[in-house]
Amino acid sequence: MGFSTTHLIIFLVIIIVIFGTKKLRNIGSDLGGAVKGFKDGMKDGTDKTADAPAAPTQQVGSASATAKETIDVEAKTKA
């Protein structure tokens, strides 16, 4: 049991009568803008990961500071 062409035409006429053409045009443009924004966001997200370096770099001066703050969990559990 599927929809025929006449069912779809009747459905579209009812939708146009309820909402009007101006409101449907606004809904269509808002939906198109949302899809475009989503696509741009997805494209920007992939560009940022491709430009990022593979390994993080560390400054020489901050290496000693981070070494003091790190905790060796395996050494604590072995003792």
Side-chain angles (χ1 to χ4, degrees):
M1 184 173 185
F3 292 109
S4 68
T5 307
T6 55
H7 286 112
L8 293 175
I9 291 173
I10 292 170
F11 179 72
L12 289 175
V13 168
I14 292 171
I15 294 295
I16 290 172
V17 167
I18 291 174
F19 291 110
T21 56
K22 186 176 180 181
K23 189 145 191 139
L24 288 176
R25 190 177 315 125
N26 291 342
I27 291 172
S29 65
D30 290 343
L31 184 63
V35 169
K36 183 179 179 186
F38 179 76
K39 285 182 180 180
D40 290 343
M42 292 298 291
K43 187 180 359 174
D44 290 344
T46 57
D47 290 345
K48 288 179 183 176
T49 57
D51 293 340
T57 58
Q58 208 175 34
Q59 294 179 353
V60 176
S62 66
S64 62
T66 57
K68 293 177 185 175
E69 296 174 4
T70 57
I71 299 171
D72 191 6
V73 177
E74 292 181 10
K76 283 189 173 184
T77 57
K78 290 179 182 176

